Amino acid sequence: MTQKIAVLPGDGIGAEIIEQAVRVLKSLNLPLEIEHAPVGGTAYDLHGHPLPPATLKLAQESNAVLFGAVGDWKYDKLPREHRPEQAILGLRKALGLFANFRPAILYPELANASSLKPEVVSGLDILILRELTGDIYFGSPRGVRQAPDGPFAGSREGFDTMRYAEPEIRRIAHLGFQAAQKRQRRLCSVDKANVLETSQLWRDIVTEIGKEYPDIALSHMYVDNAAMQLVRAPRDFDVIVTGNLFGDILSDEASMLTGSIGMLPSASLNASGQGLYEPSHGSAPDIAGKGVANPLATILSAAMMLRYSLNQPAQADRIEQAVRKVLQQGLRTADIFEAGMTKVGTSAMGDAVLKALA
Ligand code: IPM
Ligand code: MG
């Protein structure tokens, strides 16, 4: 049965890195129907909206979305609803992609690229499970108004609403425990229950659900402490489950432990297994069009897509092994380059992965 993939390259380096991932997918000779559509600032320039209706429709009709990156400084002055970031937020919400898997794995070949000492990070393998459609990102009311009361009454104030409903916490918690069952059976739930009501509810519900998973060692950690432990003893973590805002911040921090955010894929899934796959890094407009961006995070995102949405785990393994092989061969894009290695550009890295697959 043919499976449909929406390819949304987006802005900045998006087009270059996506091109390499699409080459890899096509080389597998699977029955895939691949269709491209504009998204982000590119779509705004073409159609006046970062997520045009035709792009959203294509994403909704597809088994999976392969997403590049969005954003460029030149759109920073647009009203918020027209900024490129609204495309990814809109896709997450419209497709109900509540579960965001962000693995942070240190490839032994890249141990020197980490900002931490090799003895602190070698063997690092963390999975951050970030809730993606709730929290202060989407809570209402929000806005800028005249403060109605308090010491600053009458001045302008900005406000957002952090909120989580019980079913939202339950479904992400279950996925956290289930992910831990496939790994080292340790789940750390990260919150700010010492201050926030939302977090107290989160902690109570995760604790309750934990009773259904006696095989999993559950711990709770405040987010400030988690940020510290991630750089102090990152290997103490196995699976981290957390809300949208804390997950955004901690996953960027975790990515740096691995040396380069240019290596990290991510998957965002809904309840029916439909998913959006994107590199964890952004659109890097400063290096766009130069052919130097690292395509490996996007290629690894395509592997996650094969595993989680297209039911092709063996092909996913093959791609991941091919990536390992090119690293072992000493090929490095600029972001992971070190002396003694061979520096290559975006398409040469794609060539090497294709060759390793053959
Ligand atoms: C991410 C990004 C997005 C987020 C932005 C681009 C809206 O930082 O995917 O982590 O905050 O979720
Ligand atoms: Mg982020």
Side-chain angles (χ1 to χ4, degrees), residues 11 29 32 40 66 77 81 105 127 162-163 188 192 199 229 231 244 259 267 290-291 332 334:
D11 308 325
N29 287 319
L32 301 177
L66 186 63
K77 293 215 167 60
E81 67 271 21
I105 294 169
L127 175 65
M162 178 178 274
R163 67 197 311 166
C188 179
K192 189 70 187 171
S199 280
Q229 299 305 330
V231 286
N244 204 345
K290 296 188 176 155
R332 301 285 187 274

Side-chain angles (χ1 to χ4, degrees), residues 102 104 114-116 120-121 124-128 188 190 221-240 242 246-258:
R102 295 194 167 181
S114 174
S115 43
L116 296 189
V120 177
V121 287
L124 183 85
D125 182 355
I126 304 177
L127 175 65
I128 297 188
C188 179
V190 172
M221 203 179 275
Y222 298 138
V223 62
D224 49 348
N225 186 25
M228 182 171 74
Q229 299 305 330
L230 266 175
V231 286
R232 194 189 69 83
R235 286 176 305 192
D236 288 356
F237 293 102
D238 178 20
V239 181
I240 292 176
T242 189
F246 300 153
D248 178 45
I249 300 165
L250 294 181
S251 61
D252 263 31
E253 186 188 5
S255 74
M256 260 303 117
L257 306 174
T258 70

Side-chain angles (χ1 to χ4, degrees), residues 144-319:
V144 176
R145 65 181 173 194
Q146 217 173 37
D149 47 31
F152 302 107
S155 19
R156 271 197 316 156
E157 71 172 8
F159 62 103
D160 297 273
T161 305
M162 178 178 274
R163 67 197 311 166
Y164 265 121
E166 181 164 351
E168 284 180 291
I169 303 172
R170 286 186 171 276
R171 63 184 181 181
I172 196 78
H174 278 292
L175 288 184
F177 285 105
Q178 288 158 15
Q181 282 178 326
K182 296 190 192 124
R183 297 170 46 103
Q184 293 175 44
R185 300 177 178 266
R186 285 181 288 126
L187 179 66
C188 179
S189 171
V190 172
D191 63 38
K192 189 70 187 171
N194 50 347
V195 179
L196 303 172
E197 300 297 332
T198 318
S199 280
Q200 188 58 57
L201 181 70
W202 176 285
R203 187 174 283 222
D204 292 347
I205 291 171
V206 174
T207 305
E208 184 197 315
I209 293 174
K211 300 197 180 102
E212 296 173 39
Y213 299 89
D215 53 329
I216 302 299
L218 171 66
S219 60
H220 300 274
M221 203 179 275
Y222 298 138
V223 62
D224 49 348
N225 186 25
M228 182 171 74
Q229 299 305 330
L230 266 175
V231 286
R232 194 189 69 83
R235 286 176 305 192
D236 288 356
F237 293 102
D238 178 20
V239 181
I240 292 176
V241 64
T242 189
N244 204 345
L245 179 64
F246 300 153
D248 178 45
I249 300 165
L250 294 181
S251 61
D252 263 31
E253 186 188 5
S255 74
M256 260 303 117
L257 306 174
T258 70
S260 174
I261 198 165
M263 293 297 301
L264 300 183
S266 78
S268 306
L269 300 178
N270 66 18
S272 49
Q274 196 186 18
L276 181 147
Y277 299 83
E278 57 174 330
S280 286
H281 59 72
S283 54
D286 52 325
I287 57 165
K290 296 188 176 155
V292 298
N294 186 348
L296 293 179
T298 316
I299 291 172
L300 291 167
S301 299
M304 286 185 98
M305 177 170 86
L306 289 160
R307 181 173 293 120
Y308 293 118
S309 288
L310 304 181
N311 198 23
Q312 295 283 351
Q315 300 292 347
D317 289 344
R318 281 185 64 216
I319 295 177

Side-chain angles (χ1 to χ4, degrees), residues 1-4 31-33 63:
M1 195 188 66
T2 301
Q3 290 175 302
K4 188 161 176 175
L32 301 177
E33 183 189 331
N63 299 86

